[in-house]
Amino acid sequence: SGDITGSINSMRENFAQAGWDARAGDWDLHLGLAWQQSRYREEQADDSEAALRTSRFEALGRWWLGELRLAHAWGGPGGDNHTTSVGMDWQRDSVQRFRYVYLGEAPDDENHSARRLGFYVQDEWRLAERQRLVLGLRQDGVQGGDSSWSPRAAWVWSPEPGQSLKLMWGTAFRAANRFEQSLNQGSGVEAPRPERLRTPELAWQGPLPGMAVGNWSWQASLFASHLVNFIERGDAKPFTNTPVAHSRGAELGLNGHWGEGWQLQLSLMGQRNRAADGSRQAYSPTQTLKWALQMPVAGPTLRLSLSGWATSQRLGDERLPGYAQHQAHLLWQPSRRWEFFAGAENVGGRAYAESSGASYSAPVQRQGTRWQAGLTWRGDAP
């Protein structure tokens, strides 16, 4: 064994996606395809008795995602009494590689692949003139692992135009990822059971009176999440399931539209995350501020969108300071058929520390600007 005299880590991500929206008879059709790649690398100087060596751990992931969705409105004036959506999405992890190596020596690679397939259906019913009921059900299956049914429901009441009260309840499912499975397998321990999340939420949205310019509204929500079989790793090497973890919080937001294309969105969220024993969940922020501003640059055809967020400090084995992220996108729509955008995330390339929030996850130092570009074509636009 030796003393760690230095550590450097880096993350590189690439992403591309394409989508197609059309009509298939009486149904709205959506097709989507995406490709992603992520590489994490950590190097450490190991000052052993024999010599000074540099060890490297590298995790490389490369995967494809696809989605097919159909939606249809049934009956009533305008066909808005009942709307059904059905779809499926899949994910193919073509590369899941973990590499352990001392530089200059032969690497020790661990290679995997995986598949995930999901099906879902959602029904939205107009119960009365001002009430709607939304019911949904999703089924996910993971190659060589568990499958899960995830129901969800929502009731929406609109007492006046521009006002709405929503009562929502949803569930979600996450199987152990490849790293969690692999580490347990190397220790001769079974993979942890899937996590299951239940979240009730109450939300209100309504107009903001007394504003002299523009159209303004505000919204507020209360939520509580219950995570069963939370996957974490303590002092022992294998991953285990914690019986339950809790999260409670509230969010307050403001939306505004004024002038020729000006839009502003602000929201402030506060939350409290606790493990089963009542302790604070590691690296979990207690406050998050988000904002987005869109403005015309050259009439309605060229618009600039500025957005970002700021999060409070996060406490774990070490204290991670709060940080802010800024994004900028330029949108150009020369005609109703075409729209182009180009932009950047983390404008200025500021360095910051990020963590998944799990107690076993060491913070990752990130920096650099992420660039994006895309286009949209509408075949049925006049």
Side-chain angles (χ1 to χ4, degrees), residues 20 43 107 142 144 147 155 191-192 201 217 249 285-286 299 309 314 320-321 376 382:
W20 175 262
E43 295 183 356
V142 181
S147 61
W155 172 73
E201 182 176 358
S217 63
T286 55
W309 71 89
R314 292 140 295 154
L320 300 184
T376 301

Side-chain angles (χ1 to χ4, degrees), residues 20-63:
W20 175 262
D21 293 280
R23 292 283 294 179
D26 295 331
W27 292 77
D28 293 322
L29 170 67
H30 170 77
L31 294 172
L33 182 66
W35 172 86
Q36 297 184 38
Q37 178 175 286
S38 176
R39 190 199 69 187
Y40 171 76
R41 176 179 292 174
E42 181 177 5
E43 295 183 356
Q44 293 182 339
D46 184 1
D47 187 8
S48 64
E49 296 179 359
L52 177 62
R53 300 190 300 174
T54 300
S55 65
R56 173 185 291 173
F57 168 73
E58 183 179 86
L60 175 66
R62 189 177 298 130
W63 59 98

Side-chain angles (χ1 to χ4, degrees), residues 150 163 185 319 357-358:
S150 302
Q163 296 180 347
Q185 183 179 3
R319 186 185 71 86

Side-chain angles (χ1 to χ4, degrees), residues 213-268:
V213 178
N215 182 16
W216 295 81
S217 63
W218 68 282
Q219 61 272 349
S221 64
L222 299 172
F223 59 87
S225 298
H226 305 274
L227 184 60
V228 181
N229 293 335
F230 178 51
I231 299 174
E232 67 173 355
R233 188 182 77 187
D235 296 332
K237 188 175 182 179
F239 289 91
T240 59
N241 293 105
T242 297
V244 66
H246 303 280
S247 176
R248 294 179 176 84
E251 185 171 8
L252 184 64
L254 177 68
N255 297 323
H257 303 262
W258 72 96
E260 298 295 330
W262 288 79
Q263 299 180 31
L264 176 66
Q265 293 179 312
L266 291 171
S267 69
L268 177 62

Side-chain angles (χ1 to χ4, degrees), residues 180-198:
E180 293 160 344
Q181 295 178 32
S182 178
L183 204 63
N184 275 31
Q185 183 179 3
S187 302
V189 180
E190 292 186 357
R193 298 187 302 276
E195 295 178 343
R196 301 182 186 276
L197 179 70
R198 301 191 302 271

